[in-house]
Amino acid sequence: MQGSRPGQLQLPHGVALDSKGRILVNDSDNQRVSVFDKDAKFVESWPYPSRGGIAVAPDDTVYISDVNAGIVNIVKNGKLVDSVSADRAHGMGIDTDGSIYVSGASRMTVMKITKSR
C-alpha cells in the first residue's frame, strides 16, 4: 500500500532477501528500509537514506546505498555499523567472497567494498 505509515511504501527503490527470508525494501521517499517477513507482513523499519541499491552479505550484514547522500550505510541487525562515502552510490551487487560492488551514477565508476578483518 502506498503511503508513509509503518508498512506502507512511497517509492520502493531496491529489494533484497536476508537469510531468514525477510524482504528488505528501500523506500526512498520515506528515507527508510522497510522489513517484511516471508509472508509480506510488516516487521520493522530502519531509518536510513535508501535511494539506491541494497545487498545482503551471507552473514546478514546489509549494505544500503543512497545516490543523493553519496553513502553506503552498513547495517547489522537493524543497527548502523559504519558508513562509506561513495559518490552518487546507486546500484549494488555482491560476489561469492562477500565483497560489495557499488556503481557510481555520476562518474560511471564501480567501487568495491570489503570487510576489514
Side-chain angles (χ1 to χ4, degrees), residues 49-66:
S50 57
R51 189 177 296 263
I54 185 168
V56 181
D59 69 352
D60 280 335
T61 299
V62 181
Y63 296 81
I64 305 160
S65 71
D66 188 87

Side-chain angles (χ1 to χ4, degrees), residues 16-22 24 46 55-63 74-79 81 94 115:
L17 300 174
D18 68 9
S19 69
K20 301 171 194 141
R22 297 185 311 172
L24 312 176
W46 304 336
V56 181
D59 69 352
D60 280 335
T61 299
V62 181
Y63 296 81
I74 303 169
V75 176
K76 185 75 174 178
N77 298 319
K79 306 291 185 231
V81 174
I94 188 167
K115 290 175 108 176

Side-chain angles (χ1 to χ4, degrees), residues 6-72:
Q8 295 179 331
L9 303 170
Q10 189 61 35
L11 184 58
H13 211 83
V15 65
L17 300 174
D18 68 9
S19 69
K20 301 171 194 141
R22 297 185 311 172
I23 306 159
L24 312 176
V25 182
N26 284 2
D27 185 0
S28 61
D29 278 4
N30 286 323
Q31 294 293 290
R32 66 185 179 208
V33 174
S34 292
V35 181
F36 300 89
D37 69 14
K38 63 183 178 179
D39 297 316
K41 181 180 175 192
F42 177 72
V43 175
E44 63 184 347
S45 63
W46 304 336
Y48 305 111
S50 57
R51 189 177 296 263
I54 185 168
V56 181
D59 69 352
D60 280 335
T61 299
V62 181
Y63 296 81
I64 305 160
S65 71
D66 188 87
V67 69
N68 293 336
I71 59 169
V72 174

